[in-house]
Amino acid sequence: MGEYGVAPGQRVAIIWDKSSPVEALKDLVDKIQTLVGADNRVSVENVDQLCQSAHRESSFDVVLSGVVAGSTAQHSPEVLAEIARILKPGGRVLLRELVATESGNNSRIKTAAKLPTALTLSGLVEVKELQKEALTPEEAQLVQERLGYQGNDLLIVQIEGKKPDFEVGSSSQLKLSFAKKPGPSGKPSVDPATAKLWTLSANDMKDEDMDLLDSDELLDSEDLKKPDPSSLRAPSCKEMGKKKACKNCTCGLAEELEQEKKSSQPKSACGNCYLGDAFRCASCPYLGMPAFKPGEKILLKDN
């Protein structure tokens, strides 16, 4: 493994920002191109344009960001997530970032403690800090001019992380078996510790401080009396004040209402029903029947 953790044949992405000196960027690209040993295996992207790039996921073995000398690149959560996306499973990222030893007046600059957390939240694992470098007075002056940061607590931190050995969003079926293994007797074996946990032995009952309740004392004389059968009967529909029988009526109200319906006489609307069909309405229930005396009980057919 060569410098920056790059090996021959690997695909490498170099991310730079506008503060990176052009000559230093060219030198780094040439150096990495020599290490990988083949053409078109090194890609160069600006940190501000990385999220708009057309790189497919899992494209690079190594991503180097902010490692150009003089760079003051800041890695937003979106940039870190994009780096994790374009890395191959098991790929490495090495980045350098300007950090503050404590929270300052510039929200863009992370603290040294928050940088590893930011890489972890982006989906990287095995995140570890490699080294810290103090800024020279000239570098500190340039940072104040470029970022407008007022403070003397800035450091350059070099940190690395790794993409897990699986793709983001991938799934794998787990083989789980909940069947109990049979013991020597052919029955499912029981864990002795579990059996002991749910077993109450006689020794557990010898504690003098344990108060046991007598089950006979839980019932009084009223509880031992045989109840009156009439008190166990459910109230009828009439007793509950209902005018209609329940769907599954068992108290007799349904039969009683049905009998009343059969014995009741239809009420005449015109008062001429007994005179015969010539005097009856078109909807008269007595149509087709002979004339009868007023008040005489007439039984109608079911249809």
Side-chain angles (χ1 to χ4, degrees), residues 36-37 75 86 91 95 206 225 264 295:
V36 297
H75 300 86
I86 63 177
L95 62 84
K206 292 182 179 180
K225 289 182 179 180
S264 63

Side-chain angles (χ1 to χ4, degrees), residues 8-261:
Q10 290 184 327
R11 292 204 62 194
V12 181
I14 299 176
I15 302 174
W16 60 281
D17 69 316
K18 59 184 178 181
S19 65
S20 306
V22 177
E23 292 300 325
L25 176 60
K26 289 182 178 180
D27 292 342
L28 177 62
V29 172
D30 293 340
K31 185 184 295 185
I32 298 300
Q33 192 74 65
T34 302
L35 291 173
V36 297
D39 295 333
N40 300 324
R41 289 190 174 271
V42 178
S43 297
V44 181
E45 288 289 347
N46 184 281
V47 68
D48 297 325
Q49 302 297 324
L50 179 63
C51 295
Q52 286 76 40
S53 64
H55 296 298
R56 293 181 298 178
E57 60 183 26
S58 304
S59 299
F60 299 98
D61 300 286
V62 180
V63 173
L64 306 175
S65 183
V67 299
V68 181
S71 173
T72 57
Q74 297 293 304
H75 300 86
S76 65
E78 294 77 16
V79 169
L80 292 176
E82 182 65 13
I83 290 175
R85 187 187 72 84
I86 63 177
L87 268 176
K88 294 180 180 179
R92 293 177 57 257
V93 56
L94 176 68
L95 62 84
R96 293 173 74 249
E97 184 167 332
L98 187 70
V99 299
T101 55
E102 57 186 33
S103 299
N105 55 6
N106 192 320
S107 58
R108 288 183 55 195
I109 299 180
K110 306 180 188 69
T111 62
K114 289 183 178 180
L115 182 57
T117 303
L119 269 70
T120 302
L121 292 176
S122 68
L124 301 174
V125 297
E126 299 181 19
V127 177
K128 58 183 177 181
E129 185 180 294
L130 300 180
Q131 66 179 34
K132 290 181 180 178
E133 301 175 4
L135 272 68
T136 64
E138 293 78 11
E139 290 175 333
Q141 181 66 28
L142 290 174
V143 169
Q144 291 180 1
E145 294 175 356
R146 293 171 181 171
L147 303 179
Y149 185 85
Q150 302 296 328
N152 299 320
D153 59 339
L154 296 179
L155 296 171
I156 293 291
V157 172
Q158 185 166 310
I159 193 169
E160 73 171 356
K162 177 185 174 184
K163 185 172 181 177
D165 293 330
F166 52 85
E167 190 54 75
V168 176
S170 60
S171 61
S172 177
Q173 186 176 4
L174 299 178
K175 295 181 180 179
L176 301 177
S177 176
F178 297 99
K180 296 182 179 180
K181 297 181 180 179
S185 62
K187 297 182 179 180
S189 59
V190 180
D191 184 10
T194 304
K196 183 178 180 181
L197 181 64
W198 292 97
T199 302
L200 186 64
S201 66
N203 296 330
D204 297 328
M205 308 298 291
K206 292 182 179 180
D207 191 349
E208 296 179 357
D209 297 332
M210 180 179 295
D211 295 330
L212 298 180
L213 293 176
D214 186 358
S215 59
D216 295 333
E217 295 180 357
L218 298 177
L219 300 175
D220 54 23
S221 57
E222 293 294 329
D223 296 325
L224 299 176
K225 289 182 179 180
K226 186 177 180 179
D228 184 7
S230 61
S231 64
L232 302 178
R233 184 179 61 83
S236 64
C237 298
K238 281 188 175 180
E239 292 173 346
M240 297 180 64
K242 292 184 177 181
K243 295 182 179 180
K244 292 183 179 180
C246 301
K247 184 177 182 181
N248 299 318
C249 180
T250 58
C251 68
L253 181 60
E255 291 82 356
E256 183 179 341
L257 294 176
E258 183 67 21
Q259 187 64 29
E260 290 179 359
K261 183 178 179 181

Side-chain angles (χ1 to χ4, degrees), residues 269-303:
C270 61
N272 300 324
C273 300
Y274 70 96
L275 296 176
D277 286 349
F279 300 92
R280 292 169 183 166
C281 305
S283 59
C284 183
Y286 296 102
L287 281 176
M289 298 182 65
F292 55 88
K293 295 179 181 180
E296 185 180 359
K297 187 176 181 179
I298 304 299
L299 297 179
L300 300 176
K301 296 182 179 180
D302 291 340
N303 58 354

